[in-house]
Amino acid sequence: MPVIQKGAIMCKNKANEVTKIPVTYPTPFSKTPTVMVTPLSSVPGTILKGVSIGNPTRTGFYIYVLRTNNTETNVQWLAIADGA
């Protein structure tokens, strides 16, 4: 089973609405990993208001993005499970 997986996704946003984007891991983990996300943006805090994750499972999670415009946001993710 993998211990670390990573990826990136382009998130289509709706201005001033939280957008929910599903992410599925290429290979399921044996247990729920810790997930971190990082948006690639030159306007953090002004136009890009926030990025977070929700509902992490062995097979995937959701990315939530809030922007004040409709510009797509590239979000990189990293999932790490305790190896043994």
Side-chain angles (χ1 to χ4, degrees):
M1 288 291 155
V3 176
I4 298 174
Q5 294 186 58
K6 64 183 177 76
I9 190 166
M10 288 299 289
C11 303
K12 294 183 179 184
N13 311 294
K14 296 178 184 174
N16 300 309
E17 292 183 25
V18 174
T19 303
K20 178 180 174 181
I21 301 96
V23 174
T24 302
Y25 305 123
T27 304
F29 285 90
S30 59
K31 56 185 169 182
T32 302
T34 298
V35 180
M36 295 165 275
V37 292
T38 302
L40 301 179
S41 176
S42 60
V43 291
T46 56
I47 295 172
L48 177 62
K49 295 297 185 177
V51 175
S52 66
I53 71 121
N55 195 34
T57 68
R58 294 177 44 254
T59 58
F61 61 97
Y62 289 99
I63 293 175
Y64 296 93
V65 178
L66 177 60
R67 290 184 70 103
T68 60
N69 65 13
N70 293 330
T71 302
E72 290 184 344
T73 304
N74 187 351
V75 178
Q76 296 178 336
W77 60 267
L78 179 67
I80 302 172
D82 293 333

